[in-house]
Amino acid sequence: MNNMSLVEQLSVREKTVAFTFDDGPHPVYTQQILEIFRRVGGQATFFMIGKEMESYPEIAAEVHREGHEIANHTFTHPNLTELTLEQAGEELQRAENVIQEVTGNRAKLFRPPYFGINDDILSLAVEQGYHTVAAVNGGAKDWDNPGVEYILEHTRPTVKPGSVLIFHDGYGDRSQTVEAVRILVEELIAQGYRLVTVSELLAISDEA
């Protein structure tokens, strides 16, 4: 797959789907998400904010220890298209430094806050070795707390093998998200889906 492409729906031969969580880690909601995935033996990808990782390093370490993927969501969560390229690069690098402190490895994935993306930011991400990740269920708007049923109704129709789903485990009350994810995970497991990281999805994709 071309690194300049946005990753949101991949061609795969098995029933796999990638849950992603933005804006953590959070001492309450990240733990609740971990418990949901622990119960079903699934993995997820957490697009963490560097500053939040510095605030809750032990939670970030737990996410990594349990086999989930930690990816770059910048250091302070700005809209990168409103910064100079130098400032944007610094946001990515500062977050990357914290990720490496926690995981010992470079992150493979990046998601721009607010989906603030243009060709310059995409190119910057490629230069730093990242795939840029979007999602198929942006219409669920879980960040806006629209209600559990709303999140479910705007996510279910978007799910198929190879889908990347976006949710949030940080910044504000995420109890609606946790409940919606709990229901979705149970439904997808019952349908025979395997819950994997975005990097695993990329690895098994026909487009890899």
PDB file of all heavy atoms in Angstrom, residues 1 7-20 45 69 109 133-134 136 160-165 193-208:
ATOM      1  N   MET A   1       0.832  -1.204   0.000  1.00  0.00           N
ATOM      2  CA  MET A   1       0.000   0.000   0.000  1.00  0.00           C
ATOM      3  C   MET A   1       0.862   1.247   0.000  1.00  0.00           C
ATOM      4  O   MET A   1       1.854   1.318   0.703  1.00  0.00           O
ATOM      5  CB  MET A   1      -0.922  -0.017   1.226  1.00  0.00           C
ATOM      6  CG  MET A   1      -1.341   1.345   1.694  1.00  0.00           C
ATOM      7  SD  MET A   1      -2.753   1.353   2.778  1.00  0.00           S
ATOM      8  CE  MET A   1      -4.051   0.935   1.674  1.00  0.00           C
ATOM      9  N   VAL A   7      -5.515   5.250   5.338  1.00  0.00           N
ATOM     10  CA  VAL A   7      -5.951   3.897   5.683  1.00  0.00           C
ATOM     11  C   VAL A   7      -7.298   3.985   6.405  1.00  0.00           C
ATOM     12  O   VAL A   7      -7.397   4.575   7.480  1.00  0.00           O
ATOM     13  CB  VAL A   7      -4.916   3.207   6.601  1.00  0.00           C
ATOM     14  CG1 VAL A   7      -5.402   1.818   7.001  1.00  0.00           C
ATOM     15  CG2 VAL A   7      -3.554   3.144   5.930  1.00  0.00           C
ATOM     16  N   GLU A   8      -8.342   3.432   5.798  1.00  0.00           N
ATOM     17  CA  GLU A   8      -9.640   3.391   6.486  1.00  0.00           C
ATOM     18  C   GLU A   8     -10.428   2.130   6.160  1.00  0.00           C
ATOM     19  O   GLU A   8     -11.247   1.686   6.957  1.00  0.00           O
ATOM     20  CB  GLU A   8     -10.484   4.636   6.184  1.00  0.00           C
ATOM     21  CG  GLU A   8     -10.796   4.846   4.723  1.00  0.00           C
ATOM     22  CD  GLU A   8     -11.625   6.106   4.501  1.00  0.00           C
ATOM     23  OE1 GLU A   8     -11.668   6.968   5.393  1.00  0.00           O
ATOM     24  OE2 GLU A   8     -12.237   6.209   3.430  1.00  0.00           O
ATOM     25  N   GLN A   9     -10.199   1.580   4.975  1.00  0.00           N
ATOM     26  CA  GLN A   9     -10.868   0.344   4.579  1.00  0.00           C
ATOM     27  C   GLN A   9      -9.888  -0.464   3.747  1.00  0.00           C
ATOM     28  O   GLN A   9      -9.439   0.010   2.699  1.00  0.00           O
ATOM     29  CB  GLN A   9     -12.141   0.634   3.773  1.00  0.00           C
ATOM     30  CG  GLN A   9     -12.859  -0.609   3.281  1.00  0.00           C
ATOM     31  CD  GLN A   9     -13.433  -1.441   4.417  1.00  0.00           C
ATOM     32  OE1 GLN A   9     -14.182  -0.924   5.258  1.00  0.00           O
ATOM     33  NE2 GLN A   9     -13.079  -2.707   4.472  1.00  0.00           N
ATOM     34  N   LEU A  10      -9.550  -1.653   4.212  1.00  0.00           N
ATOM     35  CA  LEU A  10      -8.568  -2.479   3.517  1.00  0.00           C
ATOM     36  C   LEU A  10      -9.216  -3.742   2.977  1.00  0.00           C
ATOM     37  O   LEU A  10     -10.216  -4.223   3.520  1.00  0.00           O
ATOM     38  CB  LEU A  10      -7.423  -2.837   4.476  1.00  0.00           C
ATOM     39  CG  LEU A  10      -6.548  -1.642   4.903  1.00  0.00           C
ATOM     40  CD1 LEU A  10      -5.694  -2.005   6.101  1.00  0.00           C
ATOM     41  CD2 LEU A  10      -5.678  -1.183   3.758  1.00  0.00           C
ATOM     42  N   SER A  11      -8.630  -4.261   1.929  1.00  0.00           N
ATOM     43  CA  SER A  11      -9.107  -5.513   1.349  1.00  0.00           C
ATOM     44  C   SER A  11      -8.448  -6.680   2.078  1.00  0.00           C
ATOM     45  O   SER A  11      -7.227  -6.838   2.032  1.00  0.00           O
ATOM     46  CB  SER A  11      -8.751  -5.547  -0.139  1.00  0.00           C
ATOM     47  OG  SER A  11      -9.057  -6.806  -0.689  1.00  0.00           O
ATOM     48  N   VAL A  12      -9.249  -7.464   2.781  1.00  0.00           N
ATOM     49  CA  VAL A  12      -8.731  -8.614   3.534  1.00  0.00           C
ATOM     50  C   VAL A  12      -9.570  -9.847   3.219  1.00  0.00           C
ATOM     51  O   VAL A  12     -10.720  -9.736   2.793  1.00  0.00           O
ATOM     52  CB  VAL A  12      -8.739  -8.353   5.059  1.00  0.00           C
ATOM     53  CG1 VAL A  12      -7.801  -7.210   5.420  1.00  0.00           C
ATOM     54  CG2 VAL A  12     -10.145  -8.046   5.560  1.00  0.00           C
ATOM     55  N   ARG A  13      -8.998 -11.007   3.464  1.00  0.00           N
ATOM     56  CA  ARG A  13      -9.672 -12.260   3.134  1.00  0.00           C
ATOM     57  C   ARG A  13     -10.364 -12.893   4.336  1.00  0.00           C
ATOM     58  O   ARG A  13     -10.984 -13.951   4.217  1.00  0.00           O
ATOM     59  CB  ARG A  13      -8.670 -13.258   2.536  1.00  0.00           C
ATOM     60  CG  ARG A  13      -8.046 -12.773   1.240  1.00  0.00           C
ATOM     61  CD  ARG A  13      -6.907 -13.679   0.797  1.00  0.00           C
ATOM     62  NE  ARG A  13      -6.168 -13.087  -0.302  1.00  0.00           N
ATOM     63  CZ  ARG A  13      -6.449 -13.282  -1.589  1.00  0.00           C
ATOM     64  NH1 ARG A  13      -7.458 -14.049  -1.935  1.00  0.00           N
ATOM     65  NH2 ARG A  13      -5.716 -12.697  -2.522  1.00  0.00           N
ATOM     66  N   GLU A  14     -10.224 -12.301   5.503  1.00  0.00           N
ATOM     67  CA  GLU A  14     -10.875 -12.856   6.692  1.00  0.00           C
ATOM     68  C   GLU A  14     -11.658 -11.770   7.416  1.00  0.00           C
ATOM     69  O   GLU A  14     -11.469 -10.580   7.165  1.00  0.00           O
ATOM     70  CB  GLU A  14      -9.850 -13.501   7.615  1.00  0.00           C
ATOM     71  CG  GLU A  14      -8.728 -12.569   8.058  1.00  0.00           C
ATOM     72  CD  GLU A  14      -7.745 -13.236   9.007  1.00  0.00           C
ATOM     73  OE1 GLU A  14      -8.202 -13.696  10.083  1.00  0.00           O
ATOM     74  OE2 GLU A  14      -6.548 -13.300   8.700  1.00  0.00           O
ATOM     75  N   LYS A  15     -12.528 -12.197   8.311  1.00  0.00           N
ATOM     76  CA  LYS A  15     -13.386 -11.253   9.034  1.00  0.00           C
ATOM     77  C   LYS A  15     -12.585 -10.609  10.172  1.00  0.00           C
ATOM     78  O   LYS A  15     -12.539 -11.109  11.288  1.00  0.00           O
ATOM     79  CB  LYS A  15     -14.633 -11.963   9.568  1.00  0.00           C
ATOM     80  CG  LYS A  15     -15.590 -12.392   8.477  1.00  0.00           C
ATOM     81  CD  LYS A  15     -16.818 -13.094   9.029  1.00  0.00           C
ATOM     82  CE  LYS A  15     -17.850 -12.095   9.503  1.00  0.00           C
ATOM     83  NZ  LYS A  15     -19.146 -12.763   9.815  1.00  0.00           N
ATOM     84  N   THR A  16     -11.931  -9.523   9.818  1.00  0.00           N
ATOM     85  CA  THR A  16     -11.154  -8.771  10.791  1.00  0.00           C
ATOM     86  C   THR A  16     -11.584  -7.316  10.738  1.00  0.00           C
ATOM     87  O   THR A  16     -11.970  -6.804   9.686  1.00  0.00           O
ATOM     88  CB  THR A  16      -9.645  -8.850  10.480  1.00  0.00           C
ATOM     89  OG1 THR A  16      -9.451  -8.545   9.099  1.00  0.00           O
ATOM     90  CG2 THR A  16      -9.087 -10.229  10.791  1.00  0.00           C
ATOM     91  N   VAL A  17     -11.499  -6.653  11.876  1.00  0.00           N
ATOM     92  CA  VAL A  17     -11.839  -5.234  11.944  1.00  0.00           C
ATOM     93  C   VAL A  17     -10.925  -4.598  12.990  1.00  0.00           C
ATOM     94  O   VAL A  17     -10.490  -5.257  13.939  1.00  0.00           O
ATOM     95  CB  VAL A  17     -13.335  -5.044  12.294  1.00  0.00           C
ATOM     96  CG1 VAL A  17     -13.646  -5.507  13.705  1.00  0.00           C
ATOM     97  CG2 VAL A  17     -13.771  -3.606  12.090  1.00  0.00           C
ATOM     98  N   ALA A  18     -10.589  -3.321  12.780  1.00  0.00           N
ATOM     99  CA  ALA A  18      -9.678  -2.625  13.697  1.00  0.00           C
ATOM    100  C   ALA A  18     -10.421  -1.504  14.422  1.00  0.00           C
ATOM    101  O   ALA A  18     -10.868  -0.543  13.791  1.00  0.00           O
ATOM    102  CB  ALA A  18      -8.480  -2.062  12.937  1.00  0.00           C
ATOM    103  N   PHE A  19     -10.549  -1.633  15.729  1.00  0.00           N
ATOM    104  CA  PHE A  19     -11.051  -0.548  16.578  1.00  0.00           C
ATOM    105  C   PHE A  19      -9.874   0.367  16.904  1.00  0.00           C
ATOM    106  O   PHE A  19      -8.784  -0.097  17.247  1.00  0.00           O
ATOM    107  CB  PHE A  19     -11.598  -1.101  17.892  1.00  0.00           C
ATOM    108  CG  PHE A  19     -12.984  -1.668  17.807  1.00  0.00           C
ATOM    109  CD1 PHE A  19     -13.213  -2.906  17.197  1.00  0.00           C
ATOM    110  CD2 PHE A  19     -14.065  -0.997  18.364  1.00  0.00           C
ATOM    111  CE1 PHE A  19     -14.481  -3.443  17.132  1.00  0.00           C
ATOM    112  CE2 PHE A  19     -15.350  -1.533  18.309  1.00  0.00           C
ATOM    113  CZ  PHE A  19     -15.558  -2.756  17.686  1.00  0.00           C
ATOM    114  N   THR A  20     -10.105   1.678  16.800  1.00  0.00           N
ATOM    115  CA  THR A  20      -9.073   2.647  17.191  1.00  0.00           C
ATOM    116  C   THR A  20      -9.668   3.640  18.185  1.00  0.00           C
ATOM    117  O   THR A  20     -10.864   3.945  18.135  1.00  0.00           O
ATOM    118  CB  THR A  20      -8.511   3.410  15.976  1.00  0.00           C
ATOM    119  OG1 THR A  20      -9.516   4.276  15.431  1.00  0.00           O
ATOM    120  CG2 THR A  20      -8.025   2.449  14.896  1.00  0.00           C
ATOM    121  N   THR A  45      -6.006  -0.347  18.505  1.00  0.00           N
ATOM    122  CA  THR A  45      -4.946   0.641  18.289  1.00  0.00           C
ATOM    123  C   THR A  45      -5.339   1.935  18.985  1.00  0.00           C
ATOM    124  O   THR A  45      -6.456   2.433  18.784  1.00  0.00           O
ATOM    125  CB  THR A  45      -4.729   0.881  16.782  1.00  0.00           C
ATOM    126  OG1 THR A  45      -4.315  -0.351  16.179  1.00  0.00           O
ATOM    127  CG2 THR A  45      -3.662   1.938  16.541  1.00  0.00           C
ATOM    128  N   GLU A  69      -1.753  -1.675  20.192  1.00  0.00           N
ATOM    129  CA  GLU A  69      -0.829  -0.816  19.453  1.00  0.00           C
ATOM    130  C   GLU A  69      -0.984   0.630  19.901  1.00  0.00           C
ATOM    131  O   GLU A  69      -2.103   1.116  20.061  1.00  0.00           O
ATOM    132  CB  GLU A  69      -1.121  -0.932  17.951  1.00  0.00           C
ATOM    133  CG  GLU A  69      -0.213  -0.086  17.078  1.00  0.00           C
ATOM    134  CD  GLU A  69      -0.363  -0.399  15.593  1.00  0.00           C
ATOM    135  OE1 GLU A  69      -1.449  -0.879  15.191  1.00  0.00           O
ATOM    136  OE2 GLU A  69       0.590  -0.172  14.844  1.00  0.00           O
ATOM    137  N   LEU A 109       1.989   4.264  12.867  1.00  0.00           N
ATOM    138  CA  LEU A 109       0.750   4.896  12.408  1.00  0.00           C
ATOM    139  C   LEU A 109       0.588   6.283  12.997  1.00  0.00           C
ATOM    140  O   LEU A 109       1.045   6.566  14.103  1.00  0.00           O
ATOM    141  CB  LEU A 109      -0.462   4.050  12.816  1.00  0.00           C
ATOM    142  CG  LEU A 109      -0.416   2.556  12.491  1.00  0.00           C
ATOM    143  CD1 LEU A 109      -1.586   1.850  13.152  1.00  0.00           C
ATOM    144  CD2 LEU A 109      -0.428   2.343  10.986  1.00  0.00           C
ATOM    145  N   VAL A 133      -3.907   7.276   9.201  1.00  0.00           N
ATOM    146  CA  VAL A 133      -5.096   6.449   9.401  1.00  0.00           C
ATOM    147  C   VAL A 133      -6.341   7.309   9.579  1.00  0.00           C
ATOM    148  O   VAL A 133      -6.368   8.220  10.419  1.00  0.00           O
ATOM    149  CB  VAL A 133      -4.908   5.528  10.625  1.00  0.00           C
ATOM    150  CG1 VAL A 133      -6.136   4.636  10.828  1.00  0.00           C
ATOM    151  CG2 VAL A 133      -3.656   4.671  10.461  1.00  0.00           C
ATOM    152  N   ALA A 134      -7.363   7.025   8.796  1.00  0.00           N
ATOM    153  CA  ALA A 134      -8.673   7.660   8.952  1.00  0.00           C
ATOM    154  C   ALA A 134      -9.618   6.612   9.546  1.00  0.00           C
ATOM    155  O   ALA A 134      -9.204   5.789  10.361  1.00  0.00           O
ATOM    156  CB  ALA A 134      -9.164   8.186   7.605  1.00  0.00           C
ATOM    157  N   VAL A 136     -13.874   4.593   8.846  1.00  0.00           N
ATOM    158  CA  VAL A 136     -15.090   4.510   8.020  1.00  0.00           C
ATOM    159  C   VAL A 136     -16.329   5.061   8.736  1.00  0.00           C
ATOM    160  O   VAL A 136     -17.338   5.345   8.099  1.00  0.00           O
ATOM    161  CB  VAL A 136     -15.378   3.048   7.576  1.00  0.00           C
ATOM    162  CG1 VAL A 136     -14.262   2.540   6.675  1.00  0.00           C
ATOM    163  CG2 VAL A 136     -15.592   2.132   8.780  1.00  0.00           C
ATOM    164  N   LYS A 160     -17.368  -3.767   7.759  1.00  0.00           N
ATOM    165  CA  LYS A 160     -17.195  -4.964   6.938  1.00  0.00           C
ATOM    166  C   LYS A 160     -15.747  -5.410   7.130  1.00  0.00           C
ATOM    167  O   LYS A 160     -14.947  -4.689   7.760  1.00  0.00           O
ATOM    168  CB  LYS A 160     -17.517  -4.683   5.470  1.00  0.00           C
ATOM    169  CG  LYS A 160     -16.653  -3.658   4.786  1.00  0.00           C
ATOM    170  CD  LYS A 160     -17.131  -3.472   3.346  1.00  0.00           C
ATOM    171  CE  LYS A 160     -16.249  -2.485   2.596  1.00  0.00           C
ATOM    172  NZ  LYS A 160     -16.678  -2.332   1.192  1.00  0.00           N
ATOM    173  N   PRO A 161     -15.376  -6.592   6.669  1.00  0.00           N
ATOM    174  CA  PRO A 161     -13.988  -7.027   6.856  1.00  0.00           C
ATOM    175  C   PRO A 161     -13.002  -5.980   6.332  1.00  0.00           C
ATOM    176  O   PRO A 161     -13.144  -5.475   5.223  1.00  0.00           O
ATOM    177  CB  PRO A 161     -13.928  -8.325   6.045  1.00  0.00           C
ATOM    178  CG  PRO A 161     -15.315  -8.871   6.139  1.00  0.00           C
ATOM    179  CD  PRO A 161     -16.196  -7.658   6.054  1.00  0.00           C
ATOM    180  N   GLY A 162     -12.017  -5.649   7.172  1.00  0.00           N
ATOM    181  CA  GLY A 162     -11.005  -4.668   6.794  1.00  0.00           C
ATOM    182  C   GLY A 162     -11.309  -3.242   7.195  1.00  0.00           C
ATOM    183  O   GLY A 162     -10.541  -2.337   6.876  1.00  0.00           O
ATOM    184  N   SER A 163     -12.420  -3.020   7.902  1.00  0.00           N
ATOM    185  CA  SER A 163     -12.786  -1.654   8.311  1.00  0.00           C
ATOM    186  C   SER A 163     -11.939  -1.168   9.484  1.00  0.00           C
ATOM    187  O   SER A 163     -11.601  -1.938  10.389  1.00  0.00           O
ATOM    188  CB  SER A 163     -14.256  -1.594   8.724  1.00  0.00           C
ATOM    189  OG  SER A 163     -15.109  -1.838   7.637  1.00  0.00           O
ATOM    190  N   VAL A 164     -11.642   0.137   9.470  1.00  0.00           N
ATOM    191  CA  VAL A 164     -11.027   0.816  10.612  1.00  0.00           C
ATOM    192  C   VAL A 164     -12.095   1.703  11.241  1.00  0.00           C
ATOM    193  O   VAL A 164     -12.707   2.540  10.563  1.00  0.00           O
ATOM    194  CB  VAL A 164      -9.823   1.675  10.180  1.00  0.00           C
ATOM    195  CG1 VAL A 164      -9.243   2.421  11.386  1.00  0.00           C
ATOM    196  CG2 VAL A 164      -8.754   0.814   9.515  1.00  0.00           C
ATOM    197  N   LEU A 165     -12.339   1.516  12.541  1.00  0.00           N
ATOM    198  CA  LEU A 165     -13.370   2.261  13.263  1.00  0.00           C
ATOM    199  C   LEU A 165     -12.726   3.243  14.228  1.00  0.00           C
ATOM    200  O   LEU A 165     -11.724   2.916  14.875  1.00  0.00           O
ATOM    201  CB  LEU A 165     -14.270   1.300  14.050  1.00  0.00           C
ATOM    202  CG  LEU A 165     -14.916   0.173  13.240  1.00  0.00           C
ATOM    203  CD1 LEU A 165     -15.683  -0.773  14.172  1.00  0.00           C
ATOM    204  CD2 LEU A 165     -15.836   0.734  12.171  1.00  0.00           C
ATOM    205  N   TYR A 193     -16.076 -12.081  13.843  1.00  0.00           N
ATOM    206  CA  TYR A 193     -14.973 -11.161  13.563  1.00  0.00           C
ATOM    207  C   TYR A 193     -13.829 -11.356  14.558  1.00  0.00           C
ATOM    208  O   TYR A 193     -14.046 -11.696  15.725  1.00  0.00           O
ATOM    209  CB  TYR A 193     -15.440  -9.707  13.653  1.00  0.00           C
ATOM    210  CG  TYR A 193     -16.048  -9.174  12.378  1.00  0.00           C
ATOM    211  CD1 TYR A 193     -17.419  -9.296  12.140  1.00  0.00           C
ATOM    212  CD2 TYR A 193     -15.267  -8.550  11.421  1.00  0.00           C
ATOM    213  CE1 TYR A 193     -17.989  -8.808  10.973  1.00  0.00           C
ATOM    214  CE2 TYR A 193     -15.823  -8.050  10.252  1.00  0.00           C
ATOM    215  CZ  TYR A 193     -17.181  -8.188  10.039  1.00  0.00           C
ATOM    216  OH  TYR A 193     -17.730  -7.704   8.871  1.00  0.00           O
ATOM    217  N   ARG A 194     -12.625 -11.092  14.074  1.00  0.00           N
ATOM    218  CA  ARG A 194     -11.455 -11.018  14.927  1.00  0.00           C
ATOM    219  C   ARG A 194     -11.073  -9.543  15.038  1.00  0.00           C
ATOM    220  O   ARG A 194     -11.064  -8.820  14.034  1.00  0.00           O
ATOM    221  CB  ARG A 194     -10.308 -11.829  14.297  1.00  0.00           C
ATOM    222  CG  ARG A 194      -9.157 -12.146  15.227  1.00  0.00           C
ATOM    223  CD  ARG A 194      -8.345 -13.333  14.701  1.00  0.00           C
ATOM    224  NE  ARG A 194      -7.759 -13.039  13.405  1.00  0.00           N
ATOM    225  CZ  ARG A 194      -6.563 -12.467  13.227  1.00  0.00           C
ATOM    226  NH1 ARG A 194      -5.845 -12.082  14.278  1.00  0.00           N
ATOM    227  NH2 ARG A 194      -6.086 -12.258  12.009  1.00  0.00           N
ATOM    228  N   LEU A 195     -10.771  -9.082  16.261  1.00  0.00           N
ATOM    229  CA  LEU A 195     -10.456  -7.674  16.507  1.00  0.00           C
ATOM    230  C   LEU A 195      -8.944  -7.520  16.545  1.00  0.00           C
ATOM    231  O   LEU A 195      -8.274  -8.083  17.410  1.00  0.00           O
ATOM    232  CB  LEU A 195     -11.082  -7.210  17.826  1.00  0.00           C
ATOM    233  CG  LEU A 195     -12.565  -7.582  18.027  1.00  0.00           C
ATOM    234  CD1 LEU A 195     -13.077  -7.029  19.351  1.00  0.00           C
ATOM    235  CD2 LEU A 195     -13.421  -7.104  16.865  1.00  0.00           C
ATOM    236  N   VAL A 196      -8.407  -6.745  15.590  1.00  0.00           N
ATOM    237  CA  VAL A 196      -6.957  -6.658  15.420  1.00  0.00           C
ATOM    238  C   VAL A 196      -6.495  -5.212  15.417  1.00  0.00           C
ATOM    239  O   VAL A 196      -7.299  -4.280  15.302  1.00  0.00           O
ATOM    240  CB  VAL A 196      -6.526  -7.345  14.095  1.00  0.00           C
ATOM    241  CG1 VAL A 196      -6.952  -8.809  14.072  1.00  0.00           C
ATOM    242  CG2 VAL A 196      -7.083  -6.606  12.870  1.00  0.00           C
ATOM    243  N   THR A 197      -5.189  -5.017  15.520  1.00  0.00           N
ATOM    244  CA  THR A 197      -4.620  -3.676  15.408  1.00  0.00           C
ATOM    245  C   THR A 197      -4.618  -3.241  13.938  1.00  0.00           C
ATOM    246  O   THR A 197      -4.725  -4.074  13.030  1.00  0.00           O
ATOM    247  CB  THR A 197      -3.178  -3.637  15.929  1.00  0.00           C
ATOM    248  OG1 THR A 197      -2.358  -4.457  15.082  1.00  0.00           O
ATOM    249  CG2 THR A 197      -3.086  -4.141  17.368  1.00  0.00           C
ATOM    250  N   VAL A 198      -4.483  -1.958  13.713  1.00  0.00           N
ATOM    251  CA  VAL A 198      -4.411  -1.459  12.335  1.00  0.00           C
ATOM    252  C   VAL A 198      -3.176  -2.021  11.634  1.00  0.00           C
ATOM    253  O   VAL A 198      -3.232  -2.384  10.452  1.00  0.00           O
ATOM    254  CB  VAL A 198      -4.408   0.080  12.299  1.00  0.00           C
ATOM    255  CG1 VAL A 198      -4.224   0.589  10.873  1.00  0.00           C
ATOM    256  CG2 VAL A 198      -5.711   0.641  12.880  1.00  0.00           C
ATOM    257  N   SER A 199      -2.070  -2.124  12.345  1.00  0.00           N
ATOM    258  CA  SER A 199      -0.868  -2.670  11.716  1.00  0.00           C
ATOM    259  C   SER A 199      -1.050  -4.121  11.298  1.00  0.00           C
ATOM    260  O   SER A 199      -0.565  -4.555  10.239  1.00  0.00           O
ATOM    261  CB  SER A 199       0.349  -2.546  12.656  1.00  0.00           C
ATOM    262  OG  SER A 199       0.819  -1.218  12.654  1.00  0.00           O
ATOM    263  N   GLU A 200      -1.791  -4.890  12.095  1.00  0.00           N
ATOM    264  CA  GLU A 200      -2.072  -6.276  11.688  1.00  0.00           C
ATOM    265  C   GLU A 200      -2.974  -6.294  10.471  1.00  0.00           C
ATOM    266  O   GLU A 200      -2.796  -7.096   9.547  1.00  0.00           O
ATOM    267  CB  GLU A 200      -2.684  -7.085  12.835  1.00  0.00           C
ATOM    268  CG  GLU A 200      -2.905  -8.539  12.420  1.00  0.00           C
ATOM    269  CD  GLU A 200      -3.330  -9.464  13.539  1.00  0.00           C
ATOM    270  OE1 GLU A 200      -3.330  -9.045  14.712  1.00  0.00           O
ATOM    271  OE2 GLU A 200      -3.675 -10.622  13.216  1.00  0.00           O
ATOM    272  N   LEU A 201      -3.965  -5.409  10.460  1.00  0.00           N
ATOM    273  CA  LEU A 201      -4.848  -5.306   9.305  1.00  0.00           C
ATOM    274  C   LEU A 201      -4.034  -5.002   8.037  1.00  0.00           C
ATOM    275  O   LEU A 201      -4.255  -5.599   6.981  1.00  0.00           O
ATOM    276  CB  LEU A 201      -5.874  -4.200   9.555  1.00  0.00           C
ATOM    277  CG  LEU A 201      -7.244  -4.298   8.909  1.00  0.00           C
ATOM    278  CD1 LEU A 201      -7.956  -5.593   9.268  1.00  0.00           C
ATOM    279  CD2 LEU A 201      -8.106  -3.097   9.321  1.00  0.00           C
ATOM    280  N   LEU A 202      -3.096  -4.071   8.153  1.00  0.00           N
ATOM    281  CA  LEU A 202      -2.231  -3.751   7.015  1.00  0.00           C
ATOM    282  C   LEU A 202      -1.400  -4.963   6.589  1.00  0.00           C
ATOM    283  O   LEU A 202      -1.229  -5.222   5.398  1.00  0.00           O
ATOM    284  CB  LEU A 202      -1.292  -2.585   7.382  1.00  0.00           C
ATOM    285  CG  LEU A 202      -1.896  -1.185   7.308  1.00  0.00           C
ATOM    286  CD1 LEU A 202      -1.028  -0.195   8.085  1.00  0.00           C
ATOM    287  CD2 LEU A 202      -2.045  -0.732   5.857  1.00  0.00           C
ATOM    288  N   ALA A 203      -0.919  -5.717   7.573  1.00  0.00           N
ATOM    289  CA  ALA A 203      -0.045  -6.858   7.275  1.00  0.00           C
ATOM    290  C   ALA A 203      -0.778  -7.963   6.527  1.00  0.00           C
ATOM    291  O   ALA A 203      -0.186  -8.647   5.682  1.00  0.00           O
ATOM    292  CB  ALA A 203       0.564  -7.401   8.566  1.00  0.00           C
ATOM    293  N   ILE A 204      -2.073  -8.153   6.831  1.00  0.00           N
ATOM    294  CA  ILE A 204      -2.820  -9.243   6.188  1.00  0.00           C
ATOM    295  C   ILE A 204      -3.608  -8.761   4.978  1.00  0.00           C
ATOM    296  O   ILE A 204      -4.263  -9.550   4.294  1.00  0.00           O
ATOM    297  CB  ILE A 204      -3.786  -9.932   7.177  1.00  0.00           C
ATOM    298  CG1 ILE A 204      -4.882  -8.974   7.660  1.00  0.00           C
ATOM    299  CG2 ILE A 204      -3.019 -10.526   8.355  1.00  0.00           C
ATOM    300  CD1 ILE A 204      -5.951  -9.636   8.510  1.00  0.00           C
ATOM    301  N   SER A 205      -3.529  -7.461   4.697  1.00  0.00           N
ATOM    302  CA  SER A 205      -4.305  -6.898   3.594  1.00  0.00           C
ATOM    303  C   SER A 205      -3.759  -7.334   2.237  1.00  0.00           C
ATOM    304  O   SER A 205      -2.551  -7.488   2.050  1.00  0.00           O
ATOM    305  CB  SER A 205      -4.276  -5.369   3.678  1.00  0.00           C
ATOM    306  OG  SER A 205      -4.741  -4.795   2.473  1.00  0.00           O
ATOM    307  N   ASP A 206      -4.650  -7.491   1.279  1.00  0.00           N
ATOM    308  CA  ASP A 206      -4.242  -7.779  -0.097  1.00  0.00           C
ATOM    309  C   ASP A 206      -3.479  -6.603  -0.687  1.00  0.00           C
ATOM    310  O   ASP A 206      -2.817  -6.740  -1.710  1.00  0.00           O
ATOM    311  CB  ASP A 206      -5.477  -8.047  -0.966  1.00  0.00           C
ATOM    312  CG  ASP A 206      -6.218  -9.289  -0.542  1.00  0.00           C
ATOM    313  OD1 ASP A 206      -5.599 -10.150   0.125  1.00  0.00           O
ATOM    314  OD2 ASP A 206      -7.409  -9.416  -0.839  1.00  0.00           O
ATOM    315  N   GLU A 207      -3.625  -5.433  -0.036  1.00  0.00           N
ATOM    316  CA  GLU A 207      -2.975  -4.228  -0.553  1.00  0.00           C
ATOM    317  C   GLU A 207      -1.596  -4.008   0.047  1.00  0.00           C
ATOM    318  O   GLU A 207      -0.911  -3.048  -0.285  1.00  0.00           O
ATOM    319  CB  GLU A 207      -3.859  -2.998  -0.274  1.00  0.00           C
ATOM    320  CG  GLU A 207      -5.245  -3.102  -0.855  1.00  0.00           C
ATOM    321  CD  GLU A 207      -6.230  -2.167  -0.156  1.00  0.00           C
ATOM    322  OE1 GLU A 207      -5.909  -0.981  -0.036  1.00  0.00           O
ATOM    323  OE2 GLU A 207      -7.310  -2.631   0.239  1.00  0.00           O
ATOM    324  N   ALA A 208      -1.221  -4.883   0.976  1.00  0.00           N
ATOM    325  CA  ALA A 208       0.047  -4.681   1.693  1.00  0.00           C
ATOM    326  C   ALA A 208       1.250  -4.761   0.750  1.00  0.00           C
ATOM    327  O   ALA A 208       1.192  -5.460  -0.247  1.00  0.00           O
ATOM    328  CB  ALA A 208       0.205  -5.725   2.792  1.00  0.00           C
TER     329      ALA A 208
END
